[in-house]
Amino acid sequence: MRKQYISELIDESTYSDWLYGKKVMLNAPTGAGKTTFILSVFLKYCKRCGKKMLILVNRRLLREQYDYDLADIYLCYREMCNDIKLLTYQELSEKIKLGKDLSTELSEYDVIVCDEVHYFYNDSEFNALGTYVLLQAMIKAAFFKTIIFITATLDEVRPLLERTILKCADKIREESGEIKKCEFQITTLDFGFLADYERFRCCFIPDVQSLAETIANSDKKALIFIDDKAKAEAFKKLLIQTDKVKESDVTMLNAQSLEENLERGMVRMLSIGNKLLKKILITTSVLDNGVSIHDPEVGSVVIATESKVSFLQMLGRIRSESIDSCTLYIYPREIEYYSKRIRQYSARMEFFEQYTEEILRKNFWEILYQGWFDNDEKANILRNMIILTNSEVEFYDEEFTPVRFVKEGYILAVNHFAKEKIGNMLQAEKRFLKLALEDFRKVVCEQIQWIGKSEEELEIMCSTFNEEREKLLVAELLKIQNYSNEEYIKAKEYIAKEFHRELCDKIILKNTSISKEKFSNICDIYGLLFNAFIGKDKKMYYSVIRKNEMKENDF
């Protein structure tokens, strides 16, 4: 069946109606031709109508891709500048920080295209001014212009967009009178049915060591997403330790390396050539948007994230036009990882509740000092949870929840976008922990359902590493023969420390502490029997034996 693109599904009779203050939400999967439609179809129509376009993007890499796409369309630079401008959301946000009036900054544009608009949801917890404040200021400043919101993951950001647009309408109505219905009408075009993930073979690999061996042994290139910088660096070490991958075969890309241009050649190849320069690219979420990989040598993609938005965006980097077969690997997180994330998100939600109350009590200057002048971790979190901005900019509010405070021309308000995202992530981590405690494969099954894959389509790979580790663990347990209490305590502390990951997958441990009950349970899992008994000297002793070696008079 021939693949369809949205430029074939949206005709002029549809988009000709957009140029009169419409707010359009365009949802389409990666690879469905959203960029092609905007640049090759809608931009040409805007040009014919004498309308100038501004395209906003969330990553510098995506802006660079647009730059080179426009070089294919325009031979004359001046002509291009007359028709279109590219900016990142972050650049527009900087204008707010500098106190510039967005109405003036956006006055020359008739059409504003907000690409990868899930940015306002996804980046909200660490870039508050650039998402929470910017979205409101931008929509209000450009309210009577055409605004097109584009994403492959609309579900999470749609409520934020709709509520903000309606709040803007209320604000403008208060300030200047009635607004015609058509001037804030929201049109949604959903092309989610174009999503095609058939090319992905889904594999569960039981441990990260076996994953490293598999990637190292493959002749294909690999794109590896790990949403934790330290874990990403640890995975690179595992790859090199296999002795099948050289350090020069692996590239690491994160926010720091992008900012410092440490891998400029690789970044240029990605953004312009759409290929991996080396065999393996390990990246954090800085590459989840803005890059289309059309490299037929790519055969593996690894994704480690609990965010559905990030998962779909990461997978979408692998484009079907050039890569017709690719293996998606998902490996288990440690049980403690989920517990840690739950604690982190719970603490942040408690922050929200605490400082919401503080704002309502109008402790303006105290919160201001803690958030903007202190320099500890708590203050860093607070700066993205509580927004300080000009009172003329911020007006978004949850219905029936007065959580903002205006004083001397400034406003202090709860960052609702971040609160919504963190709350959603807290729920996801709890759900995944519950599934992981039962069987981590259930976590993977939930994730592959996001791309329409069933449990029956999941391939389970074997782990020689886990088998060897379990043999070593059983051998250590069987060493415990008539141990004194002191010897037993020392042995179980060593086992808890040395085999912490394996044990946490089955029984949650805190540091190196194992109770007798848990120790007995561990033995039982591996077909062993743990026994504590009093010796002839009236002291307590401990032994472990295999259950199938028990004799009638044992213990």
Side-chain angles (χ1 to χ4, degrees), residues 461-482:
M461 300 185 69
C462 296
S463 169
T464 54
F465 176 83
N466 275 351
E467 290 173 3
E468 288 301 316
R469 291 290 295 173
E470 288 186 0
K471 287 179 183 177
L472 289 172
L473 173 55
V474 169
E476 285 297 328
L477 290 168
L478 288 172
K479 286 181 182 178
I480 300 173
Q481 297 296 318
N482 300 320

Side-chain angles (χ1 to χ4, degrees), residues 142-159:
F143 193 83
F144 296 99
K145 301 176 185 291
T146 298
I147 308 179
I148 302 173
F149 304 99
I150 300 177
T151 182
T153 47
L154 183 62
D155 288 348
E156 283 74 12
V157 76
R158 186 205 300 263

Side-chain angles (χ1 to χ4, degrees), residues 227-352:
D227 61 356
D228 183 294
K229 182 181 175 183
K231 290 183 181 297
E233 290 172 345
F235 189 72
K236 179 181 177 180
K237 290 180 181 178
L238 283 176
L239 286 167
I240 295 169
Q241 285 171 5
T242 65
D243 293 327
K244 295 160 189 172
V245 171
K246 299 176 184 176
E247 186 161 359
S248 57
D249 293 330
V250 185
T251 300
M252 290 277 296
L253 184 63
N254 53 46
Q256 181 182 352
S257 57
L258 264 182
E259 187 67 31
E260 297 175 2
N261 281 328
L262 300 180
E263 295 288 350
R264 187 59 192 161
M266 184 275 297
V267 171
R268 186 179 292 112
M269 178 60 76
L270 273 174
S271 60
I272 304 172
N274 306 123
K275 293 185 178 181
L276 300 191
L277 195 58
K278 297 182 180 180
K279 180 182 177 182
I280 299 169
L281 171 59
I282 305 174
T283 180
T284 56
S285 57
V286 295
L287 204 66
D288 60 352
N289 302 170
V291 171
S292 301
I293 296 177
H294 295 272
D295 190 339
E297 293 183 37
V298 173
S300 303
V301 59
V302 178
I303 297 181
T305 181
E306 289 76 58
S307 166
K308 180 179 178 180
V309 173
S310 295
F311 184 95
L312 295 175
Q313 290 294 333
M314 290 168 178
L315 199 59
R317 300 310 99 210
I318 308 295
R319 294 306 173 90
S320 60
E321 302 95 310
S322 308
I323 303 169
D324 56 12
S325 178
C326 186
T327 302
L328 166 63
Y329 292 105
I330 305 177
Y331 64 93
R333 305 275 208 172
E334 299 91 345
I335 294 297
E336 180 53 32
Y337 170 86
Y338 293 115
S339 300
K340 180 181 177 182
R341 284 296 179 99
I342 289 169
R343 290 194 298 271
Q344 290 172 340
Y345 287 130
S346 295
R348 292 184 184 185
M349 291 304 289
E350 287 174 11
F351 258 53
F352 275 116

Side-chain angles (χ1 to χ4, degrees), residues 82-145:
N82 288 335
D83 294 345
I84 188 169
K85 172 82 171 179
L86 297 173
L87 284 175
T88 63
Y89 292 114
Q90 292 85 346
E91 288 172 316
L92 199 59
S93 180
E94 282 299 313
K95 295 180 185 294
I96 295 177
K97 289 181 183 178
L98 295 172
K100 295 187 177 180
D101 178 21
L102 280 198
S103 297
T104 303
E105 296 294 320
L106 301 176
S107 60
E108 66 178 295
Y109 308 108
D110 306 287
V111 176
I112 298 174
V113 176
C114 299
D115 201 359
E116 307 289 6
V117 74
H118 53 270
Y119 161 79
F120 290 105
Y121 172 85
N122 234 30
D123 286 21
S124 60
E125 63 184 297
F126 52 85
N127 191 6
L129 189 66
T131 64
Y132 182 76
V133 174
L134 176 62
L135 179 63
Q136 298 172 93
M138 180 194 69
I139 290 177
K140 185 168 184 284
F143 193 83
F144 296 99
K145 301 176 185 291

Side-chain angles (χ1 to χ4, degrees), residues 36-244:
T36 300
F37 167 72
I38 292 297
L39 296 185
S40 299
V41 179
F42 191 56
L43 175 59
K44 290 181 179 179
Y45 179 76
C46 291
K47 180 181 175 66
R48 289 205 325 262
C49 297
K51 307 292 185 182
K52 186 170 183 179
M53 179 183 291
L54 171 67
I55 297 181
L56 296 169
V57 297
N58 64 332
R59 299 281 189 266
R60 284 182 297 169
L61 287 177
L62 181 53
R63 176 181 172 173
E64 192 166 332
Q65 278 196 332
Y66 266 110
D67 273 329
Y68 282 91
D69 288 338
L70 288 171
D72 286 334
I73 296 171
Y74 289 94
L75 298 178
C76 176
Y77 180 78
R78 182 172 57 83
E79 181 187 359
M80 181 186 73
C81 291
N82 288 335
D83 294 345
I84 188 169
K85 172 82 171 179
L86 297 173
L87 284 175
T88 63
Y89 292 114
Q90 292 85 346
E91 288 172 316
L92 199 59
S93 180
E94 282 299 313
K95 295 180 185 294
I96 295 177
K97 289 181 183 178
L98 295 172
K100 295 187 177 180
D101 178 21
L102 280 198
S103 297
T104 303
E105 296 294 320
L106 301 176
S107 60
E108 66 178 295
Y109 308 108
D110 306 287
V111 176
I112 298 174
V113 176
C114 299
D115 201 359
E116 307 289 6
V117 74
H118 53 270
Y119 161 79
F120 290 105
Y121 172 85
N122 234 30
D123 286 21
S124 60
E125 63 184 297
F126 52 85
N127 191 6
L129 189 66
T131 64
Y132 182 76
V133 174
L134 176 62
L135 179 63
Q136 298 172 93
M138 180 194 69
I139 290 177
K140 185 168 184 284
F143 193 83
F144 296 99
K145 301 176 185 291
T146 298
I147 308 179
I148 302 173
F149 304 99
I150 300 177
T151 182
T153 47
L154 183 62
D155 288 348
E156 283 74 12
V157 76
R158 186 205 300 263
L160 306 180
L161 297 176
E162 290 178 344
R163 291 201 299 264
T164 303
I165 291 169
L166 294 174
K167 282 288 181 181
C168 282
D170 291 342
K171 185 75 171 181
I172 293 171
R173 188 180 288 110
E174 289 173 12
E175 294 175 349
S176 59
E178 280 201 32
I179 298 174
K180 295 177 184 177
K181 185 177 180 181
C182 66
E183 289 169 342
F184 66 90
Q185 181 179 344
I186 303 170
T187 300
T188 300
L189 297 175
D190 192 346
F191 297 100
F193 61 87
L194 294 177
D196 177 18
Y197 297 104
E198 286 300 314
R199 66 191 179 282
F200 291 104
R201 166 188 167 225
C202 299
C203 288
F204 167 67
I205 200 156
D207 57 85
V208 68
Q209 292 83 2
S210 297
L211 174 61
E213 285 283 347
T214 301
I215 296 296
N217 285 324
S218 175
D219 294 329
K220 291 284 192 176
K221 293 180 179 178
L223 176 61
I224 300 167
F225 288 100
I226 301 178
D227 61 356
D228 183 294
K229 182 181 175 183
K231 290 183 181 297
E233 290 172 345
F235 189 72
K236 179 181 177 180
K237 290 180 181 178
L238 283 176
L239 286 167
I240 295 169
Q241 285 171 5
T242 65
D243 293 327
K244 295 160 189 172

